Amino acid sequence: MIIGIGSDLCDITRIEGTLGRFGERFTHRVFTEGERRKSDRRAARAPSYARRFAAKEACAKALGTGLSSGVFWRDMEVVNLPSGAPTMKLTNGAAARLAAITPPGHRAIVHVTLTDDPPLAQAFVIIEALPETGGA
């Protein structure tokens, strides 16, 4: 069952301007070390950050809190599965909120899709609860 859906559209030029104006002050406030490392090594740095920014906003919406109720920027990290598909790693307040909205006897899976077509970046997040299966 779907327990959360969120989407966000982000202006890449706004992120580019914020990177130019605030640099590490912005990136260290919003992004995890892993996200910074991945985005900083890309030639298209601003679109990479914009996609991740949109994913964090979409995830916060899917959690039903936005960036409040103990959910902070760095509690949500865009990571890749072994297949290369993006997903979200949730920690601290975001992980607690995910646990609170996941029905008993279920496990949550966070589905993420990211795209950009300058000047816009977009993300969708769907949180799915699947029944736990018995056995190992």
Side-chain angles (χ1 to χ4, degrees), residues 5-136:
I5 299 175
S7 68
D8 193 66
L9 193 61
C10 181
D11 183 346
I12 296 169
T13 58
R14 183 174 65 107
I15 296 296
E16 190 169 41
T18 302
L19 288 168
R21 184 170 179 197
F22 297 104
E24 285 187 358
R25 194 166 120 207
F26 168 65
T27 60
H28 282 74
R29 178 173 178 249
V30 175
F31 301 98
T32 66
E33 181 181 337
E35 289 172 317
R36 291 190 310 266
R37 199 171 39 248
K38 191 160 199 158
S39 292
D40 287 341
R41 71 175 180 229
R42 297 193 182 276
R45 186 172 176 243
S48 180
Y49 274 118
R51 287 189 302 271
R52 284 164 175 71
F53 188 89
K56 290 169 182 277
E57 287 275 10
C59 186
K61 292 172 185 174
L63 289 170
T65 59
L67 288 157
S68 66
S69 303
V71 176
F72 299 101
W73 290 111
R74 290 182 313 227
D75 293 348
M76 301 169 285
E77 178 179 13
V78 177
V79 296
N80 295 91
L81 297 171
S83 66
T87 189
M88 300 296 290
K89 176 183 171 187
L90 304 182
T91 58
N92 303 317
R97 176 64 183 162
L98 180 63
I101 66 172
T102 303
H106 288 73
R107 62 186 172 88
I109 297 178
V110 182
H111 302 278
V112 178
T113 185
L114 306 169
T115 191
D116 67 77
D117 187 6
L120 299 174
Q122 185 175 40
F124 289 96
V125 172
I126 297 173
I127 302 174
E128 179 181 23
L130 296 176
E132 289 287 356
T133 56

